[in-house]
Every structure is written in structure tokens, then in C-alpha cells.
Amino acid sequence: MAGNKAVVYSKPGSVEVRNTDYPELVLKDGPGVNPLNVGRKCEHGVILKVVTTNICGSDQHMVRGRTTAPSGLILGHEITGEVIEVGRDVEFIKKGDLVSVPFNIACGRCRSCKERNTNVCLNVNPDRPGSAYGYVDMGGWVGGQSEYVMVPYADFQLLKFPDKEKAMEKILDLTMLSDIFPTGYHGAVSAGVRPGSTVYVAGAGPVGLAAAHSAQLLGAAVVIVGDLNAERLAQAKSFGCETVNLRENSDLAGQIDQILGLPEVDSAIDCVGFEAHGHGKAHGEAPATVLNSIMEVTRAGGSLGIPGLYVTGDPGAVDEDSKIGTLKIRFGLGWAKSHTFVTGQTPVMKYNRDLMMAILSGRAQIAKAVNATLISLDNAPQAYEDFDRGVSRKFVIDPHGLVK
């Protein structure tokens, strides 16, 4: 039996690379696995040899100790791999296929899945709708920052690349299809971005950069990206975005006015989430800052896309309300301006095939936009530290050294 190595959350601020069990087509007991999911047979699943797997900002929330993630949880929900074993009930996916794995785990059978809301599948998480690999309170499906991983419901979920050789030539782009690119794109679509529109993207981390690139693909006339981190803003500027530095100047509307000639945009996208900080040099954590600021600067009748993560449990929050996801939001302002809000996990399968074609045709340059940076599995702990310090990189783990 082959071995397996994986990136494991050990304690707040720390991840380790550990030897772990080789996956089987069954969900076994382990850290974070819901007791009602233990022993769940997955003959509809496959075993993947992981080709690439990415570090996500959502992983960082857990690693910082800002969730109830248990020690020993195997991380990783952004997975691309080669099929090396198929379950008895798998009909269309074959050994040798190179596939992208949507981070949402979805059965394909329930009402939500049939309505294309694969982000809130009703059958994969006993606690609540929706699930993901290697994530707290998501049912306990084992993460993919590893050498090998099991993926259930393979025929329904997996996106097969049509030409394996050509896919490997663009693998740093295609690896973004599991989460970050569809998530950024969903934020832009949810915000109503269209040809000629003006867009504000809050946050220049990888998802914010993906949202900005997505807005460009959708035809936005001007994309403005705001952040407190000058290095990340420089990355946004590198592919044609306007930028506002909210550490140096806390007046967001005023900075937008200087760019557009009026202090508002047609659409706004929150790519920060619940660890948001206030603006200015003396900023501190203020989790409702981004939500309130995008309502302020979005025109009446505009839309807000909110792919940034918000949680129901945050033990490290700044106040008791925020610890249970209760934030002081100016909802009356949003109501008065007739804003449309779209929140929640991204239904990756709505977008990943189209975005794959945009990559393969050369239309989308997502790896360049997010500064994809290849690392080995053993270098993952250092990459987590670097990412936490705010470097402007999207770290892509290559567990087997397969990427040229």
C-alpha cells in the first residue's frame, strides 16, 4: 500500500507536513469528521494522485485559530489531480483522466444540486447544507493538500480536461478552477458586472485579484481594487486595475471620486470577509468595515457580490457578537439604496467549464493575475507563514514534482 503525506493544522499559527493514511473509498473517522459521516461508503468516488493543490485564504482563517477547526485536520480544498482508482459505481470518469475538483462537495441527487446550487448540497454534511474538503464544520471530508485524496460523486463533480498534455502546459491557470477563479468570477457576476460598468473590489488577496480579473473578462470599463497592503495593490495594478491604498488614505469615496470623477461605482465585491480591518494607519480589526464601505460607494440600484467568507463561529473575534457572526451592518443604507446582496459559497460547477475554456483559449490569464507560485509539499508550512504576512502570491503545491 502506498503512503501519503499531507499538510495538517496542528495548533493556532502552525501547520505541519505529516505521514497519513492512504485514502480509500470510504470516509473514516478522524479529526473533524462528523460522527454521522463515519463509515460512509463512496463507491461513486475516485482516488486522485494530486497534481496541484493550492493554499487558500480560507485555510488561513483556520490556521490563525479563528475557527473551531480541530488539531490534526488535513487541509486543502483546491485540488487538481490524475485519477488512479475508480469506484465500482463510477461510469464515465476513467483512470488516467486529469481533472479539476470543485471545492464544494455535491451529490448531484438532491434538490439543491438539481437546481445547480451545488454550494448547498443537502446530502454531504449532516450539520447543515454545503460541504468542502479539509474544512471545519463541513462534514469531515479529508483535505487535498496531500499526495493522494479521495473524491466522492466523481461522475457528477469532476471536470475532465479534454487534452491532458495541453492542460499540463497551463496547469498553473487550470489549478485555479477548483475555487479561486470561480469564486472571484461569482463575485463579479453576483455584483452585476457588465460591459462598460465601474467596479470596486475590496481586498487584493488572491480572491480579490481573481475577482478583478473576472470583472475585466466581463467587460468592466474600470476596475478599482482597495487594500491596506501596498505589495498586493501593486499586483492588482500590474494587470490594469486602478488601486486605492486604504492605509494611507481612509477616504474610500474620495479616492474613487479622484479616479472616476464621482464617488460611487456601479458594482462592488467583498473579497475580504470576517477578518476585515478598518481603514487608516491606526486601523484595527472591524469585521463589518468592508460590508458598510461597499454599501456606501455603490450607486443606488447597484449590486454587491460577497464571496468573502463570513462564519457563525469565530473564537478570536473582537467582541461577543462577532464571535457568533453577528455584525453591525448599516442594513438601512443598503435598503434605502435598493442594493442587491449575494452571499455564500460559490457554486463552482456553474462556472468552471466556461472558465476552463477561457484559459485554454488564452482569453484568461488567471495565474499571472494572482501571481501563482509553485512550491513543494514540504515547503507548505513556510508558504503559510509567508501568506499570513501578506505576500502577494497564490501558493500552488506540487506534491509529486509533476509541474514543469
Side-chain angles (χ1 to χ4, degrees):
M1 175 83 56
N4 195 15
K5 290 200 303 183
V7 180
V8 174
Y9 168 66
S10 56
K11 61 183 180 180
S14 177
V15 301
E16 301 173 1
V17 177
R18 296 181 186 172
N19 292 317
T20 187
D21 293 337
Y22 185 83
E24 300 178 42
L25 295 173
V26 61
L27 185 52
K28 296 182 177 181
D29 197 8
V33 179
N34 190 300
L36 296 175
N37 260 351
V38 173
R40 188 165 177 165
K41 291 181 172 57
C42 297
E43 290 294 342
H44 43 63
V46 298
I47 306 298
L48 296 184
K49 181 178 183 179
V50 177
V51 174
T52 54
T53 177
N54 314 330
I55 296 175
C56 179
S58 299
D59 298 321
Q60 286 285 19
H61 294 307
M62 291 187 290
V63 173
R64 292 190 190 109
R66 297 299 296 269
T67 71
T68 55
S71 178
L73 184 73
I74 295 175
L75 300 169
H77 55 270
E78 301 190 21
I79 308 163
T80 305
E82 179 186 4
V83 177
I84 59 173
E85 180 182 339
V86 298
R88 177 195 62 212
D89 300 332
V90 177
E91 186 175 0
F92 304 111
I93 294 294
K94 307 298 182 184
K95 287 184 181 180
D97 287 347
L98 185 62
V99 297
S100 177
V101 183
F103 81 90
N104 323 109
I105 301 172
C107 72
R109 298 155 166 82
C110 69
R111 176 180 176 178
S112 290
C113 287
K114 289 176 180 179
E115 294 177 353
R116 299 186 75 199
N117 295 317
T118 54
N119 52 318
V120 283
C121 174
L122 303 176
N123 289 330
V124 289
N125 183 358
D127 285 338
R128 62 189 184 205
S131 192
Y133 302 89
Y135 213 84
V136 60
D137 297 332
M138 289 290 184
W141 299 91
V142 178
Q145 286 177 16
S146 56
E147 294 175 315
Y148 304 93
V149 67
M150 188 270 283
V151 174
Y153 305 106
D155 279 330
F156 176 65
Q157 294 194 104
L158 295 180
L159 176 65
K160 177 185 172 181
F161 300 137
D163 186 307
K164 196 172 180 179
E165 185 176 337
K166 289 183 179 179
M168 285 302 295
E169 292 174 1
K170 294 196 173 186
I171 196 66
L172 287 182
D173 292 284
L174 293 170
T175 191
M176 307 303 168
L177 292 173
S178 55
D179 179 0
I180 178 179
F181 198 7
T183 293
Y185 193 82
H186 178 61
V189 169
S190 300
V193 177
R194 63 188 187 282
S197 61
T198 56
V199 185
Y200 173 64
V201 179
V207 169
L209 297 172
H213 186 46
S214 297
Q216 293 173 332
L217 289 173
L218 290 166
V222 182
V223 180
I224 304 169
V225 181
D227 205 295
L228 301 163
N229 183 318
E231 180 182 342
R232 290 182 167 182
L233 289 172
Q235 179 63 26
K237 189 173 288 188
S238 74
F239 59 94
C241 299
E242 299 286 344
T243 61
V244 293
N245 188 324
L246 295 166
R247 182 188 299 271
E248 300 301 324
N249 183 347
S250 61
D251 182 6
L252 174 58
Q255 292 191 76
I256 290 175
D257 191 13
Q258 290 178 355
I259 295 168
L260 298 178
L262 71 167
E264 62 181 19
V265 290
D266 296 316
S267 307
I269 310 169
D270 172 6
C271 297
V272 179
F274 74 103
E275 286 193 66
H277 281 233
H279 301 160
K281 292 183 178 179
H283 67 86
E285 190 167 317
T289 296
V290 171
L291 293 172
N292 287 326
S293 65
I294 62 175
M295 284 191 286
E296 177 191 354
V297 300
T298 301
R299 68 173 178 85
S303 297
L304 314 177
I306 308 175
L309 176 66
Y310 289 87
V311 296
T312 56
D314 175 8
V318 292
D319 55 58
E320 293 303 312
D321 281 342
S322 298
K323 287 181 179 180
I324 58 171
T326 300
L327 307 182
K328 193 174 182 180
I329 298 169
R330 292 189 65 195
F331 189 77
L333 175 61
W335 189 93
K337 297 177 78 172
S338 295
H339 284 158
T340 299
F341 298 74
V342 178
T343 67
Q345 279 190 38
T346 296
V348 170
M349 293 176 68
K350 279 188 178 180
Y351 309 109
N352 61 353
R353 184 172 297 279
D354 289 345
L355 294 176
M356 174 185 73
M357 296 307 297
I359 289 169
L360 293 176
S361 69
R363 180 87 173 88
Q365 307 286 336
I366 186 64
K368 179 181 178 181
V370 301
N371 195 17
T373 302
L374 197 68
I375 61 169
S376 69
L377 189 67
D378 289 333
N379 286 336
Q382 182 61 53
Y384 267 94
E385 290 184 18
D386 293 343
F387 192 22
D388 193 52
R389 286 199 297 268
V391 299
S392 188
R393 296 182 181 184
K394 176 66 172 177
F395 288 106
V396 178
I397 300 171
D398 175 9
H400 297 278
L402 298 174
V403 181
K404 295 180 182 179

